[in-house]
């Protein structure tokens, strides 16, 4: 079961519809117990990092999310759900974010052109990752954002996009994948990425089941 | 690099596509969901449903159309027509629209733009402006906002470029510029109008009204500096497919989304 975190984000239903379309067995919830026990977790998002952090804190999720990430549960952050993984954000004055990835959320400088970036742009993979299975390098995805994650540690970056500057459009570290674009609005490649996430969750869940069985067998003997 | 978008617009009345579609013999050409799926497969970058339904009863049908489309088509979907309040916006967004397009209601109540942007985010609010060229021949170009109430068009004496600037300032995330002179004439978009708006707003500009050829669409995003070209009849009547439009853009060095 995948938990899609419900913290009042406007596009929650879009993410849910797309995940269901690729066969995800999911629950939409803000219950910390359900989220902690889920086989995979999705944090969708549209809006500002400050509002999102406040909504997560109000639900007790700002401490839960780093815990489930540390525990190795497959996690997918989308748009603002990616940005809040950083340490800080300068959106509506500096404030702290979840801090599971190094770096800061910064506004595109005016020199890049129109802000927000709205539309389809290419994602160039900087590393191999199963989340990209079957997706061509340089495929177009749909972006709507004024801010991006500026990380000093390239090991956290799995994909980059050019918009006046090069910014990380996909983060991947441990069991976490996060995208600045909206896979739920990115046509076939977006659906392919979501399907890959659902598969990663299933594989991880099966691995967990085997480990549990091994532990039980070890205890029995 | 950010691509230029090609956006087909479907006029929907009482749950059915109004303008004839001649190229889809094997499917129900009046079914907006089926057409949305077809355009999605052909490479449309977004879709616009324009609701020309008269009564509020029939708007429930539109919400249903949006809901069924959003369950099948995973590209951005904008709904326009008949949206007068923040609650109207909410209804369409909840049904699965990603953006709502407002026109006359925003002109007479600009606060609607700010209220919608505050509640749903600027990225949800598209301001659509109908503009008509009003300068004397030989005088510098000038355009007035044209509104539609009760089926009748009305000139407003408000400068259309200035209204676009104000709308973006109030929180509209994108501006659709529909040239009344060009609309339906297939003589091309009003490129000077597009340029004038692109010069004063910092948000994406979408060209609408007047596309009769692929060359017109290309000019809108090159000479007119629009971010996207919206068109209806050129696609509906089978003059060109969306795939042909994108190939034409690519052949002329304009970045497009590859399928």
């Amino acid at each position: 079961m995948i938990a899609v975190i419900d913290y009042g984000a406007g596009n929650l239903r879009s993410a849910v519809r797309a995940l269901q379309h690729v066969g995800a067995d999911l629950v939409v919830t803000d219950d910390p117990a359900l989220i902690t026990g889920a086989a995979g977790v999705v944090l969708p998002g549209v809006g500002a990092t400050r509002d999102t952090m406040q909504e997560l804190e109000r639900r007790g999720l700002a401490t839960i999310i780093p815990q489930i990430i540390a525990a190795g549960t497959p996690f997918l952050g989308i748009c603002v759900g990616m940005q809040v993984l950083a340490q800080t954000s300068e959106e509506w004055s500096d404030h702290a974010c979840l801090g599971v990835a190094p770096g800061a959320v910064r506004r595109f400088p005016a020199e890049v052109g129109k802000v927000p970036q709205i539309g389809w742009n290419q994602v160039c993979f900087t590393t191999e990752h199963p989340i990209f299975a079957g997706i061509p390098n340089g495929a177009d995805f749909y972006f709507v954002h004024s801010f991006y994650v500026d990380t000093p540690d390239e090991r956290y970056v799995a994909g980059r996009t050019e918009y006046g500057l090069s910014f990380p459009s996909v983060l991947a570290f441990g069991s976490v994948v996060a995208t600045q674009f909206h896979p739920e609005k990115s046509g076939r490649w977006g659906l392919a990425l979501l399907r890959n996430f659902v598969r990663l969750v299933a594989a991880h869940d099966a691995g967990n089941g085997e480990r549990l069985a091994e532990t039980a067998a070890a205890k029995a003997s | 690099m950010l691509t230029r978008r090609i956006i087909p617009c479907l006029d929907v009345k009482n749950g059915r596509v109004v303008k004839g579609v001649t190229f889809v013999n094997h499917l129900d050409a009046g079914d907006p969901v089926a057409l949305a799926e077809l355009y999605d497969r052909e490479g449309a970058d977004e879709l616009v449903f324009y609701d020309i339904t008269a009564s509020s009863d029939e708007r429930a049908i539109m919400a249903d159309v949006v809901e069924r489309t959003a369950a099948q088509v995973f590209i951005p979907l904008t709904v326009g027509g008949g949206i007068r309040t923040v609650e109207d916006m909410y209804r369409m967004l909840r049904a699965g629209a990603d953006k709502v397009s407002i026109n006359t209601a925003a002109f007479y109540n600009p606060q609607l733009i700010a209220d919608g942007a505050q509640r749903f985010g600027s990225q949800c609010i598209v301001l659509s402006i109908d503009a008509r060229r009003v300068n004397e021949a030989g005088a510098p170009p000038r355009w007035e906002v044209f509104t539609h109430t009760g089926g009748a068009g009305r000139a407003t004496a408000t400068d259309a470029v200035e209204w676009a600037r104000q709308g973006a300032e109030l929180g509209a995330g994108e501006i659709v510029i529909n040239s009344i002179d060009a609309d339906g004439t297939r003589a091309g978009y009003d490129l000077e109008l597009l340029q004038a708006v692109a010069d004063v707003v910092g948000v994406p500009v979408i060209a609408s009204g007047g596309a009769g050829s692929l060359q017109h669409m290309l000019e809108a995003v090159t000479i007119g500096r629009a971010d996207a070209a919206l068109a209806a009849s050129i696609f509906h009547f089978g003059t060109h497919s969306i795939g042909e439009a994108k190939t034409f853009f690519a052949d002329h060095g304009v970045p497009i989304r590859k399928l």
Side-chain angles (χ1 to χ4, degrees):
Chain A
M1 180 79 85
I2 292 175
V4 180
I5 298 180
D6 179 5
Y7 62 95
N11 71 331
L12 175 76
R13 286 162 63 101
S14 295
V16 167
R17 265 188 290 259
L19 282 161
Q20 284 172 335
H21 191 78
V22 297
D25 177 21
L26 61 83
V27 58
V28 177
T29 182
D30 65 351
D31 179 352
L34 270 177
I35 293 166
T36 305
V41 174
V42 176
L43 182 62
V46 160
T49 50
R50 178 179 286 276
D51 293 347
T52 302
M53 282 306 298
Q54 283 171 355
E55 291 298 321
L56 293 176
E57 279 160 9
R58 202 161 65 78
R59 291 167 165 82
L61 299 174
T63 50
I64 297 286
I65 292 171
Q67 285 169 14
I68 57 168
I69 287 174
T73 304
F75 182 94
L76 175 64
I78 298 173
C79 194
V80 175
M82 166 187 185
Q83 294 176 354
V84 292
L85 299 178
Q87 290 166 308
T88 59
S89 169
E90 61 178 31
E91 189 169 13
W92 305 109
S93 79
D94 289 345
H95 59 94
C97 290
L98 296 172
V100 295
V105 179
R106 301 196 196 286
R107 188 177 171 86
F108 279 127
E111 307 89 80
V112 303
K114 291 180 179 179
V115 178
Q117 166 173 230
I118 299 182
W120 299 79
N121 202 336
Q122 299 85 52
V123 174
C124 294
F125 308 155
T126 56
T127 180
E128 283 186 28
H129 194 283
I131 199 73
F132 298 137
I135 302 171
N137 194 356
D140 292 284
F141 291 87
Y142 189 74
F143 289 82
V144 181
H145 64 128
S146 301
F147 291 78
Y148 67 98
V149 176
D150 182 15
T151 178
D153 192 340
E154 203 59 29
R155 289 172 301 179
Y156 284 77
V157 179
R160 287 191 159 271
T161 297
E162 297 281 336
Y163 189 65
L165 51 79
S166 166
F167 69 91
S169 46
V170 184
L171 299 181
F173 54 97
S175 59
V176 174
V177 173
T179 68
Q180 180 57 66
F181 52 83
H182 288 275
E184 74 279 15
K185 286 291 156 191
S186 293
R188 68 183 287 207
W189 302 128
L191 292 174
L193 187 141
L194 293 175
R195 194 176 290 113
N196 289 337
F197 179 72
V198 171
R199 284 179 183 152
L200 287 176
V201 173
H204 183 262
D205 205 25
N208 265 351
E210 280 166 25
R211 278 191 292 279
L212 284 173
E214 280 166 19
T215 311
K219 275 182 185 162
S221 64
Chain B
M1 187 188 280
L2 188 67
T3 64
R4 301 290 158 169
R5 290 171 277 161
I6 292 177
I7 309 175
C9 176
L10 300 175
D11 284 351
V12 180
K13 185 177 187 182
N14 204 12
R16 303 284 294 168
V17 178
V18 176
K19 281 178 184 162
V21 181
T22 53
F23 65 105
V24 278
N25 302 320
H26 53 285
L27 61 77
D28 176 0
D31 177 8
V33 182
L35 261 182
E37 287 186 277
L38 178 78
Y39 283 144
D40 174 32
R41 281 199 301 278
E42 286 191 332
D45 296 312
E46 298 190 31
L47 293 167
V48 175
F49 282 166
Y50 192 79
D51 186 7
I52 56 172
T53 294
S55 81
S56 57
D57 289 351
E58 290 162 349
R59 298 216 186 279
I61 298 171
M62 190 62 192
D64 176 63
V65 166
V66 170
E67 187 136 14
R68 286 188 289 123
T69 304
Q72 296 299 326
V73 175
F74 297 94
I75 57 174
L77 173 62
T78 301
V79 178
I83 292 168
R84 299 185 184 89
T85 65
V86 169
E87 279 312 301
D88 291 340
M89 294 176 178
Y90 178 67
R91 189 177 187 184
M92 288 304 161
L93 295 172
R94 195 183 50 179
D98 299 289
K99 313 175 193 181
V100 288
S101 175
I102 49 179
N103 188 330
T104 299
F107 182 79
Y108 289 112
N109 174 24
Q111 186 63 26
L112 182 61
I113 300 171
D115 290 349
Q118 187 166 16
R119 176 132 175 227
F120 309 112
S122 284
Q123 82 287 343
C124 284
I125 309 300
V126 180
L127 175 63
S128 181
I129 298 174
D130 291 343
R132 189 162 71 171
R133 199 179 268 258
V134 290
N135 56 286
E136 302 284 328
R142 209 173 77 76
W143 299 267
E144 271 182 15
V145 177
F146 211 73
T147 63
H148 301 270
T149 39
R154 185 186 297 176
T156 63
T158 297
D159 185 84
V161 176
E162 172 58 16
W163 171 228
R165 192 192 63 74
Q166 284 175 21
E169 206 156 81
L170 282 164
E174 292 177 285
I175 308 280
V176 174
I177 294 294
N178 188 40
S179 162
I180 292 292
D181 309 279
D183 192 17
T185 63
R186 300 196 176 201
Y189 301 94
D190 188 330
L191 301 176
E192 281 185 315
L193 171 59
L194 292 173
Q195 289 169 348
V197 173
D199 281 341
V200 299
V201 302
V203 300
V205 175
I206 300 171
S208 166
S213 69
L214 299 181
Q215 183 66 31
H216 291 153
M217 299 184 79
L218 178 70
E219 287 169 355
V221 301
T222 52
I223 301 167
R225 302 202 298 275
D227 297 88
L230 184 146
S233 48
I234 189 170
F235 298 130
H236 299 335
F237 294 112
T239 316
H240 292 288
S241 71
I242 289 164
E244 284 170 9
K246 295 185 97 169
T247 304
F248 189 77
F249 274 31
D251 288 348
H252 288 82
V254 173
I256 49 119
R257 170 170 79 110
K258 295 174 291 295
L259 283 183

